[in-house]
């Protein structure tokens, strides 16, 4: 099932997520839904807070096309070497910024079966792990870049949300007007 993706401006994107208490069939189903949602949005990673759930879990598919689930992840090491990369985010559509991050990372987590694993990643996989892990900490990628760009982006996303709310209200008013006319004719 494709789930709605939360956009910047929603409080949950700024909150620290809570550990998943137990890996259950419900959590496994959620992982499937998250992959379906991520794929439908042409993303490479999706964290639970991005679908409105304050859980410490994310899914990803890097350039090796392997589907990975990270439940209660912990980044235990990062390289001193840093690299730049243009990042985007499903919660900030059509917004990109060059972000500097460690080029290698070691992460421990549970998979969708509750089995612990450790991955030593570099390249795109390392970047996606760090990006999605940030979501679990209430951090979005623009927080790691130019502060002026982050401020402008926050304002832009707020305006987008306001316009969307105005359009929805107008659509609702029109639907109510049509319903009233139909009801009046039916009498």
């Amino acid at each position: 099932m494709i789930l709605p993706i939360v956009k910047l401006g929603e409080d949950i994107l700024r909150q620290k997520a809570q550990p998943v208490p137990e890996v259950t069939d419900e959590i496994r189903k959620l992982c499937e839904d998250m992959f379906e949602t991520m794929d439908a949005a042409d993303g490479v990673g999706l964290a639970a807070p991005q679908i409105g759930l304050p859980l410490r879990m994310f899914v990803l598919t890097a350039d090796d096309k392997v589907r990975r689930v990270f439940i209660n992840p912990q980044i235990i090491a990062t390289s001193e070497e840093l690299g730049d990369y243009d990042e985007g985010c499903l919660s900030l559509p059509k917004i990109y910024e060059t972000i500097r991050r460690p080029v290698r990372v070691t992460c421990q987590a549970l998979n969708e079966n509750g089995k612990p694993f450790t991955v030593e990643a570099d390249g795109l996989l390392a970047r996606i792990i760090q990006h999605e892990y940030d979501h679990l900490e209430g951090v979005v990628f623009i927080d790691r870049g130019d502060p002026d760009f982050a401020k402008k982006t926050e304002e832009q996303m707020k305006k987008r949300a306001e316009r969307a709310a105005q359009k929805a209200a107008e659509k609702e008013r029109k639907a109510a007007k049509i319903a009233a006319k139909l009801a009046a004719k039916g009498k």
Side-chain angles (χ1 to χ4, degrees):
M1 174 172 63
I2 296 175
L3 305 167
I5 297 174
V6 172
K7 302 294 186 261
L8 183 64
E10 296 289 327
D11 290 342
I12 194 160
L13 289 179
R14 295 301 191 175
Q15 296 169 359
K16 193 167 181 169
Q18 300 302 309
V20 174
E22 182 182 1
V23 180
T24 61
D25 287 343
E26 184 179 64
I27 292 294
R28 281 184 278 282
K29 172 66 170 117
L30 178 59
C31 291
E32 289 174 27
D33 291 345
M34 288 173 68
F35 274 119
E36 190 175 345
T37 302
M38 178 189 81
D39 292 343
D42 288 328
V44 294
L46 184 68
Q50 291 181 274
I51 55 166
L53 298 175
L55 298 172
R56 294 190 73 77
M57 60 184 285
F58 59 83
V59 300
L60 64 82
T61 306
D63 43 2
D64 60 5
K65 305 298 182 212
V66 175
R67 294 163 75 87
R68 292 179 173 92
V69 173
F70 291 74
I71 298 172
N72 297 333
Q74 290 184 296
I75 292 178
I76 58 172
T78 58
S79 66
E80 288 185 27
E81 181 185 355
L82 303 175
D84 293 339
Y85 190 85
D86 279 349
E87 289 190 28
C89 181
L90 297 177
S91 292
L92 290 86
K94 299 179 183 168
I95 294 174
Y96 301 91
E97 184 179 15
T98 302
I99 302 297
R100 178 166 284 185
R101 293 187 187 269
V103 297
R104 285 178 301 286
V105 64
T106 303
C107 184
Q108 293 178 333
L110 301 176
N111 68 14
E112 64 274 22
N113 297 312
K115 293 189 103 173
F117 70 94
T118 301
V119 63
E120 292 181 13
D122 60 9
L124 183 60
L125 179 57
R127 181 153 303 262
I128 298 168
I129 289 170
Q130 292 173 82
H131 178 109
E132 300 308 327
Y133 187 86
D134 275 354
H135 279 299
L136 308 183
E137 297 295 314
V139 174
V140 293
F141 79 97
I142 59 171
D143 298 337
R144 299 210 177 268
D146 175 35
D148 290 335
F149 181 81
K151 184 178 178 187
K152 287 177 190 172
T153 300
E154 295 261 6
E155 291 168 2
Q156 180 183 1
M157 292 297 292
K158 185 177 179 184
K159 287 178 184 174
R160 281 187 193 177
E162 288 169 357
R163 282 193 303 270
Q166 287 172 345
K167 283 183 180 180
E170 182 60 29
K171 189 175 180 179
E172 199 172 296
R173 279 193 295 277
K174 286 180 181 179
K177 191 174 181 180
I178 291 168
K181 284 183 181 180
L182 291 174
K185 286 183 180 180
K187 286 187 176 180

